[in-house]
Amino acid sequence: MHRALEKVFSAGRYHWVERRHPLQWLANLWEHFQEWIDRLNAGHPNLSWAIVVVATVLLVMLLTHIGYTLWKVYTVTARPADQPARGAAGVVLLDAHAHRITAEALAREGRYAEALAHRFAALICDLDEGKAVTIHPSKTPAEYAREARLDSVGRATIVDLVSRLYAILFGAAPVDEQAYREFADNAQFVMLHVSTR
């Protein structure tokens, strides 16, 4: 009987090999660490206690620092609910009529770059009122242009407006009254191309 069992279990299919887990090295490292802690605790209990205290203090400091950093990031980036949304160049998005009046007043003073920012803000307010975009404080003019529900002509026009706005506000491109008037006319033209889909 014993020989029969030996013969059967000596066949290749009964040859068992212990398979190693891909993270076995991590389990081994953990076991060695636990053994080291046990030896340290048995041989030097005061040193072991000191290490635990220092590690606890470091952990509390690390968690406090992480919490403080997250709080600072949140307070800097989160907008209170009562704070209004902002558009191009930090312009507070009010209503389209107020932005058009402000744009015209700035244009009369020769402050055309600021006037363009208000004229674009008026366009965004108009598009929001027409349900073609949704105002959100984190959106950029380019994001509004991508989101706008416009036909192809309106989309091309608003993309051109954003391009000119960026060139003037961020690229210091020159702007005069004629450029402002053309920008304002094109902004008004966009509203004729709001998609009804």
Side-chain angles (χ1 to χ4, degrees):
M1 177 76 169
H2 181 67
R3 284 187 189 172
L5 285 175
E6 244 180 60
K7 186 175 180 183
V8 168
F9 286 120
S10 66
R13 72 178 98 166
Y14 294 110
H15 190 277
W16 289 295
V17 176
E18 185 179 336
R19 294 183 186 211
R20 291 182 53 89
H21 191 273
L23 297 177
Q24 185 62 42
W25 65 273
L26 192 57
N28 292 343
L29 190 64
W30 179 250
E31 286 176 23
H32 291 308
F33 176 71
Q34 286 179 324
E35 289 170 6
W36 177 77
I37 292 290
D38 290 340
R39 284 193 311 270
L40 181 67
N41 200 16
H44 306 283
N46 290 337
L47 180 61
S48 175
W49 181 81
I51 289 174
V52 168
V53 169
V54 169
T56 303
V57 168
L58 287 174
L59 179 63
V60 168
M61 287 172 55
L62 179 66
L63 291 176
T64 303
H65 177 67
I66 290 171
Y68 176 75
T69 303
L70 290 174
W71 177 76
K72 287 299 280 183
V73 167
Y74 174 76
T75 57
V76 169
T77 58
R79 181 182 64 89
D82 59 342
Q83 184 179 343
R86 295 189 178 273
V91 173
V92 176
L93 295 175
L94 304 169
D95 67 89
H97 181 69
H99 283 296
R100 278 191 285 277
I101 290 172
T102 304
E104 287 301 318
L106 289 168
R108 280 192 298 276
E109 294 175 17
R111 296 162 59 187
Y112 299 113
E114 294 171 73
L116 286 180
H118 279 279
R119 193 60 193 84
F120 189 80
L123 173 61
I124 296 305
C125 290
D126 282 338
L127 289 172
D128 180 66
E129 192 174 305
K131 305 290 188 236
V133 298
T134 303
I135 291 178
H136 190 276
S138 68
K139 289 183 185 173
T140 64
E143 288 173 319
Y144 284 120
R146 277 194 301 276
E147 172 192 325
R149 289 181 284 284
L150 302 167
D151 63 19
S152 60
V153 174
R155 181 163 310 284
T157 305
I158 196 170
V159 166
D160 180 59
L161 289 175
V162 169
S163 176
R164 283 195 271 167
L165 183 68
Y166 281 177
I168 291 165
L169 293 180
F170 305 119
V175 59
D176 57 10
E177 184 174 4
Q178 180 182 347
Y180 166 73
R181 294 288 167 217
E182 184 181 325
F183 188 94
D185 291 343
N186 285 341
Q188 196 60 38
F189 178 74
V190 167
M191 289 308 298
L192 301 174
H193 295 276
V194 173
S195 178
T196 56
R197 288 185 288 138

